[in-house]
Amino acid sequence: MYNKSIDEKWQKEWENNKIASFNKDNIDKKYYCLEMFSYPSGAKLHVGHWYNYGPVDTFARFKKMKGFEVFQPMGFDAFGLPAENYAIKTGIHPYDSTMKNIETMEKQLKAMGAMFNFDAEVITCKEDYYKWTQWLFLLLYEKGLAYRKKANVNWCPSCNTVLANEQVINGECERCSSQVTKKDLTQWFFKITDYAEELLEGLKELDWPEKTKKIQTNWIGKSTGSIVTFDVADTDLSLDVFTTRVDTLMGVTYVVVAPESDIVKNLTTKEQENVVNEYIEKCKLVTEIDRLAENREKTGVFTGSYAIHPITKEKVQIWIADYVLATYGTGCVMAVPAHDERDFAFAKKYNLPLKQVIAKKEDVRDNKNIDVVYNKNEAYTEKGVLVNSGDFNNFTTDEAKTEITKYLKSIQKGDFKTTYRLRDWLVSRQRYWGAPIPIIYCDKCGIVPVPKEDLPVKLPYDVEFKPDGKSPLAKSPEFVNTTCPHCGGHATRETDTLDTFVCSSWYQFRYPDNKNSEKIFDTEWIDKMLPVDKYVGGPEHAAMHLLYARFITKVLRDAGLTKVGEPFKSLVHQGLILGPDGNKMSKSKGNVISPDDYIEKYGSDVFRMYLMFGFSYIEGGPWSEEGITSMSKYILRLERILDKINSYKENENTSYSDEDKELLFTFNSLLKGINNDLELMQFNTAIAKIMEITNALYKYTQKDDESILNTKLLKEIAVLFIKVIAPFMPHFAEEMWSKYGKEFSVFNTTYPVEDEKYLVKDTVELAVQVNGVVRYKIVVPTSADEKEIEEIAVNNEKLKPYLENKSISKVIVIKSRIVNIVVK
RNA sequence: GCGGGUAUGGCGGAAUUGGCAGACGCGCCGGACUUAGAAUCCGGUGUCUCACGACGUGAAGGUUCAAGUCCUUUUACCCGCACCA
């Protein structure tokens, strides 16, 4: 009887026989199947991991049986905050807790029985991995893609530390819920913005969920418009603004600069100095919560300076206001209160002038009074024509955008410009548990990268990692103090560590060459193994990990280390398994399902079968206790049926009865569906079809007189069926395969495909509709053409009642689908 | 506010892409076997109706011989972005 001990038996055999190993000679048939690696935080493998790894293992085994040389590695994204926070709470060192967790999780992964290639394992917190993460950092540094600058970062005043963006939940610290403020710190950045356009363009060719592509598209946020230069009156300063609505240029009545901009102090006049400084200070105190508040009232102050309109040469006031973002565009906008809602609100509050420059075509033609009263719907209109705009009057908005920019260009006051919302990637973390940034600061030589031959810069074990606002590594003199690789003088090390997303941005390249101690990876080999053919993981990584990994891949390509431009050719996001109560599983809600208990009770195959059958894979849904017991019952029933068939003596029946033919038809047509479903990762419908085959086999064996059964045929089908179920229930199938006296392993056999000759039937049943409602069924020869089908359908006795006082006006015949008779 | 998605029996979910709605499973009802339960097996199970039949895929319209599927409007929930000039 199938249970956990059968799991263990075959797991041992698979390991001994290296069923998961990759045969390099077979590279032409390689299939790189990758699941997002797991994060060994305080917990064990949870249902989410299983839902990711179990079904995808079924897919991988299917591909293997389809003749592919499958590479399915697994590893651990082992650096990062959760381990460190756990350490802070318990006092257990992150290295120790992480290693212990990895050990537990490896055991669990093996108990899952997935075909993971553990020879290819990577663990990002180990020296032989993070050495190359550091190497990668130096590569970016060499290429000018890693740079240091002062940045305004998230700061938690209670934890006394910086926070990553993803740790800020609605303006609060994820750990202590204090309000997050901003602080200026000098940080390392990766210049991902250099690749903005390519990252956007590259999406087109990817087989990814549209939603994920959309998220990346929005994240990159391309926007095309113009740059316009405003000179500052009575100075030699000038302000560049970015706008997508340069057609409204003649409606500019003031200019606004972000309060954080450096230029502000040069713009501020003596008289305004106090108000401006006061305002800047006030902005710094605004919490994230307030900043994100909806419909927040706009505030700002006048700098005392004036900008000169590039075309009219009119003077307009320059203000500072925090509704202008320092980090987008040029940090400076031209305000057109008549045609922009935000500018309107601001202008109204501070009594700034309004000037309408776009009006409806009809109003212009009819010479209507076009004095403005701001109307949200009309203000945004791009279908109007220009008014009050001098030479540009009567241009449509589209024409005006081009013509005005062209004109500005000719007087050197502007140009076409594309901007992106994407910002450079901040990779510094004031944290202990990460890869040290391989940089040395020398008083004489400045920033000096650690020579590559000196890598890795080891993360010291013995460090006080509790946070107090300084990087923990700064508190280790042995780590900090070093000699300059250039001049040999005294120098200090960078004490920040790298964001863990850096570690996970390139792991897909390391798996196939994980033991390479000479190079980050072997280019020739990697170009054969990459890209990943199927990547599966949660949708929460849509904008971060998946974008970073694409960026780093392009950097590696431009450095000549690979030809691959996109790491993940095809991507699938599995859904989320919720608690039985329909809520997200969480300890506080007490609705967490622990896989281990179920594996113990039912075995791995039952658990993964339930996960595959109970939900649409990309949707997920709430856990059901009944669901898993019913799956256990199903497998036991299947076992009884297969055992019974196995016990039959094989007879010498050579001809097929109608029942035999029916069984062959059912089996082959469902087999066809299973193959299709698996290619599309539609596990639930594939299993439904497996159950239908089970039911058909069961029904067939119900005649208890063995002698009238075609047991030869039955056994042949059973053997094929065991192959069919193998990817779904690997342990159980291997057990049955062995019971049927077949040679180990079922996974070295070929996955069955339907035999077309059993799918051909002499006759086919068609539904006949009268005026769109099914009224009766007809049986027609498969070979019958539309005319013949129509004849059979129309001449049916059952049609008569519907023809009383009526006649047939039309007959639609869809071959092998349906007949619809329209009567009037 | 902008963008994307979802909505089908008591429940999880199907539906060859416009062609017999509810596959498969759970649950429930009835029956067999049992002293009894568990397990197993057989039959039934969208709603209304005694029935003929009618109605039925969040709601309202529309296109079509035919709509869960296409179009318009609308509601609820989920996700992403959020003063992006």
Side-chain angles (χ1 to χ4, degrees):
Chain A
M1 202 177 78
Y2 171 71
N3 60 30
K4 199 187 155 227
S5 67
I6 287 177
D7 289 356
E8 286 162 359
K9 173 178 164 189
W10 294 110
Q11 280 161 19
K12 218 171 282 168
E13 285 298 309
W14 292 333
E15 203 169 337
N16 293 342
N17 290 280
K18 296 218 168 276
I19 205 94
S21 68
F22 185 83
N23 178 3
K24 294 191 174 191
D25 300 337
N26 223 352
I27 184 72
D28 294 347
K29 303 231 64 177
K30 78 93 186 174
Y31 194 91
Y32 191 165
C33 179
L34 183 64
E35 292 107 301
M36 290 181 184
F37 59 174
S38 54
Y39 202 93
S41 57
K44 299 171 167 191
L45 279 192
H46 51 72
V47 178
H49 290 122
W50 268 88
Y51 194 52
N52 188 177
Y53 303 158
V56 177
D57 181 56
T58 293
F59 180 76
R61 286 177 186 266
F62 169 67
K63 283 285 174 188
K64 179 180 167 66
M65 292 177 77
K66 278 289 184 188
F68 289 95
E69 188 63 30
V70 173
F71 182 60
Q72 189 187 21
M74 183 46 70
F76 294 95
D77 190 10
F79 273 137
L81 274 174
E84 195 169 345
N85 291 342
Y86 180 75
I88 291 162
K89 216 164 69 187
T90 61
I92 299 169
H93 194 281
Y95 181 85
D96 299 337
S97 66
T98 300
M99 283 307 162
K100 194 170 161 262
N101 288 336
I102 287 176
E103 202 184 316
T104 313
M105 288 171 85
E106 273 177 354
K107 250 183 229 157
Q108 289 178 298
L109 286 167
K110 283 177 181 161
M112 182 184 283
M115 204 174 61
F116 291 130
N117 188 332
F118 280 105
D119 291 341
E121 184 178 60
V122 300
I123 298 176
T124 60
C125 70
K126 285 195 164 177
E127 277 173 31
D128 65 351
Y129 186 87
Y130 76 66
K131 172 182 176 178
W132 299 109
T133 306
Q134 292 173 336
W135 188 92
L136 183 66
F137 179 93
L138 294 175
L139 178 74
L140 273 99
Y141 183 77
E142 278 167 19
K143 303 283 173 194
L145 294 167
Y147 67 96
R148 220 159 93 100
K149 76 164 184 202
K150 206 172 196 189
N152 200 235
V153 296
N154 301 305
W155 180 262
C156 173
S158 160
C159 299
N160 211 11
T161 180
V162 287
L163 297 175
N165 283 333
E166 58 271 28
Q167 288 176 273
V168 182
I169 317 288
N170 292 326
E172 292 181 353
C173 170
E174 69 164 354
R175 222 172 337 145
C176 67
S177 297
S178 343
Q179 294 195 351
V180 170
T181 56
K182 294 283 186 172
K183 196 169 181 176
D184 285 327
L185 284 173
T186 303
Q187 307 277 289
W188 282 97
F189 287 85
F190 283 172
K191 223 170 181 178
I192 190 171
T193 50
D194 270 15
Y195 287 86
E197 185 61 32
E198 205 197 332
L199 287 167
L200 183 66
E201 278 299 303
L203 288 171
K204 287 177 191 157
E205 61 177 82
L206 296 178
D207 173 27
W208 282 23
E210 284 307 315
K211 191 180 171 173
T212 307
K213 290 197 202 181
K214 196 82 195 174
I215 288 172
Q216 292 212 347
T217 302
N218 292 342
W219 193 266
I220 294 166
K222 182 178 182 172
S223 152
T224 52
S226 309
I227 284 276
V228 184
T229 304
F230 286 75
D231 291 328
V232 180
D234 309 322
T235 69
D236 47 12
L237 298 171
S238 67
L239 293 173
D240 282 347
V241 306
F242 173 73
T243 180
T244 55
R245 292 297 306 274
V246 74
D247 51 310
T248 64
L249 181 62
M250 306 306 258
V252 171
T253 56
Y254 61 103
V255 170
V256 196
V257 181
E260 299 92 338
S261 285
D262 293 334
I263 199 170
V264 171
K265 56 180 179 290
N266 300 326
L267 292 171
T268 309
T269 58
K270 276 257 151 50
E271 304 79 58
Q272 292 299 99
E273 210 167 347
N274 284 344
V275 242
V276 167
N277 287 340
E278 208 175 289
Y279 182 72
I280 291 172
E281 285 310 309
K282 215 175 80 191
C283 288
K284 280 186 187 162
L285 293 176
V286 171
T287 61
E288 280 292 294
I289 290 213
D290 290 340
R291 207 185 65 78
L292 296 171
E294 258 177 85
N295 298 327
R296 183 167 160 244
E297 185 156 356
K298 291 185 173 37
T299 59
V301 292
F302 177 43
T303 60
S305 292
Y306 292 84
I308 299 168
H309 191 284
I311 295 179
T312 65
K313 306 295 176 194
E314 263 175 81
K315 277 182 170 184
V316 296
Q317 296 188 345
I318 303 174
W319 284 62
I320 62 171
D322 70 352
Y323 81 91
V324 175
L325 306 174
T327 47
Y328 182 75
T330 60
C332 179
V333 305
M334 58 179 224
V336 187
H339 302 287
D340 182 280
E341 204 182 351
R342 296 153 303 182
D343 296 341
F344 178 75
F346 192 80
K348 205 170 138 196
K349 180 169 173 185
Y350 294 106
N351 276 320
L352 291 159
L354 234 74
K355 184 181 168 198
Q356 181 172 9
V357 289
I358 294 171
K360 283 186 189 164
K361 270 183 198 156
E362 312 90 85
D363 292 354
V364 174
R365 188 191 55 212
D366 303 344
N367 239 333
K368 267 197 189 161
N369 185 358
I370 47 165
D371 276 351
V372 90
V373 184
Y374 180 85
N375 175 319
K376 192 179 159 186
N377 297 326
E378 288 183 18
Y380 279 105
T381 185
E382 302 214 11
K383 288 180 191 128
V385 293
L386 270 64
V387 294
N388 297 329
S389 296
D391 293 346
F392 302 104
N393 277 349
N394 296 317
F395 276 123
T396 65
T397 53
D398 279 345
E399 290 162 356
K401 280 178 190 169
T402 311
E403 292 307 317
I404 291 178
T405 307
K406 274 187 187 164
Y407 175 70
L408 287 169
K409 199 172 173 181
S410 73
I411 59 167
Q412 296 182 344
K413 292 289 176 201
D415 206 343
F416 295 99
K417 170 82 176 174
T418 301
T419 58
Y420 299 87
R421 219 152 84 183
L422 186 69
R423 320 248 169 96
D424 277 341
W425 175 14
L426 196 166
V427 295
S428 302
R429 292 290 180 273
Q430 287 70 44
R431 287 294 184 148
Y432 167 67
W433 192 232
I437 295 175
I439 289 290
I440 290 168
Y441 302 103
C442 171
D443 292 342
K444 260 200 222 154
C445 314
I447 297 175
V448 182
V450 172
K452 285 178 178 170
E453 57 274 18
D454 291 352
L455 295 178
V457 176
K458 289 188 188 173
L459 182 70
Y461 180 88
D462 203 9
V463 170
E464 177 55 54
F465 48 78
K466 285 188 179 144
D468 65 354
K470 283 187 188 158
S471 297
L473 289 178
K475 283 174 263 174
S476 169
E478 301 83 34
F479 178 82
V480 173
N481 295 310
T482 186
T483 51
C484 173
H486 260 188
C487 67
H490 177 260
T492 56
R493 290 190 187 277
E494 167 69 61
T495 56
D496 286 352
T497 55
L498 285 170
D499 180 7
T500 49
F501 279 116
V502 179
C503 306
S504 58
S505 66
W506 70 280
Y507 78 125
Q508 68 279 0
F509 285 101
R510 185 66 183 174
Y511 274 132
D513 200 14
N514 68 331
K515 295 187 179 64
N516 197 328
S517 55
E518 304 296 312
K519 293 191 257 180
I520 187 165
F521 51 75
D522 181 77
T523 297
E524 201 186 322
W525 174 240
I526 272 334
D527 282 346
K528 287 178 184 163
M529 289 298 287
L530 273 275
V532 171
D533 295 283
K534 189 68 87 176
Y535 193 34
V536 186
E540 67 275 11
H541 293 108
M544 307 290 276
H545 163 62
L546 287 166
L547 194 64
Y548 296 149
R550 293 182 60 221
F551 160 58
I552 293 296
T553 299
K554 291 174 197 306
V555 172
L556 289 168
R557 179 205 58 197
D558 289 349
L561 289 159
T562 177
K563 288 193 184 72
V564 175
E566 288 287 348
F568 313 121
K569 202 160 66 181
S570 176
L571 173 76
V572 172
H573 296 306
Q574 82 278 15
L576 189 65
I577 303 300
L578 307 169
D581 56 0
N583 292 306
K584 211 170 163 173
M585 288 190 197
S586 75
K587 276 182 203 152
S588 60
K589 284 200 177 106
N591 61 353
V592 177
I593 298 296
S594 156
D596 292 16
D597 304 344
Y598 292 93
I599 309 313
E600 191 61 40
K601 192 169 170 189
Y602 299 112
S604 160
D605 287 354
V606 169
F607 197 76
R608 63 154 79 192
M609 277 288 281
Y610 165 63
L611 288 177
M612 285 189 282
F613 181 62
F615 316 89
S616 156
Y617 189 57
I618 57 163
E619 296 290 330
W623 175 269
S624 151
E625 204 61 34
E626 289 86 10
I628 193 151
T629 51
S630 86
M631 188 50 76
S632 172
K633 286 179 192 173
Y634 165 71
I635 292 180
L636 295 177
R637 175 167 178 256
L638 174 59
E639 186 171 14
R640 285 194 300 273
I641 295 165
L642 287 174
D643 279 342
K644 185 173 181 182
I645 295 171
N646 195 24
S647 72
Y648 289 146
K649 263 200 205 97
E650 209 169 288
N651 57 23
E652 281 304 320
N653 261 328
T654 46
S655 66
Y656 294 150
S657 68
D658 283 353
E659 262 180 314
D660 297 343
K661 282 181 193 159
E662 189 58 35
L663 182 66
L664 279 165
F665 176 80
T666 303
F667 179 76
N668 281 285
S669 59
L670 289 167
L671 179 56
K672 186 176 181 176
I674 292 167
N675 272 282
N676 287 338
D677 288 348
L678 266 178
E679 287 295 351
L680 300 169
M681 291 198 163
Q682 286 167 4
F683 304 107
N684 56 344
T685 50
I687 292 173
K689 288 173 185 114
I690 285 175
M691 288 173 165
E692 285 188 69
I693 294 176
T694 309
N695 292 341
L697 286 174
Y698 175 77
K699 203 174 139 201
Y700 188 89
T701 57
Q702 275 323 89
K703 299 233 168 41
D704 233 4
D705 183 0
E706 211 181 296
S707 63
I708 65 166
L709 293 177
N710 190 335
T711 53
K712 182 166 184 278
L713 171 69
L714 193 56
K715 282 198 169 185
E716 280 166 9
I717 292 179
V719 167
L720 285 176
F721 189 44
I722 293 167
K723 292 186 189 181
V724 171
I725 65 173
F728 298 87
M729 304 168 248
H731 308 89
F732 172 73
E734 196 76 271
E735 177 74 10
M736 294 317 297
W737 190 247
S738 149
K739 274 193 189 172
Y740 269 67
K742 299 288 175 184
E743 198 184 327
F744 180 86
S745 150
V746 66
F747 295 102
N748 292 329
T749 68
T750 303
Y751 204 76
V753 287
E754 71 279 3
D755 188 336
E756 289 289 341
K757 73 172 174 278
Y758 298 121
L759 294 178
V760 185
K761 278 187 154 183
D762 299 341
T763 58
V764 60
E765 190 185 64
L766 288 183
V768 181
Q769 298 181 327
V770 180
N771 289 340
V773 183
V774 177
R775 295 299 180 183
Y776 55 93
K777 307 272 167 96
I778 53 171
V779 175
V780 299
T782 311
S783 57
D785 63 17
E786 271 104 18
K787 255 214 173 100
E788 291 165 310
I789 294 171
E790 177 174 340
E791 213 139 283
I792 298 166
V794 167
N795 291 331
N796 197 291
E797 275 297 301
K798 291 181 182 139
L799 181 61
K800 278 187 180 159
Y802 302 102
L803 287 178
E804 268 177 51
N805 305 322
K806 285 171 183 167
S807 63
I808 297 171
S809 73
K810 200 174 179 184
V811 179
I812 292 111
V813 178
I814 309 295
K815 232 183 139 185
S816 71
R817 292 276 160 85
I818 207 161
V819 180
N820 193 5
I821 302 169
V822 186
V823 303
K824 272 182 192 160

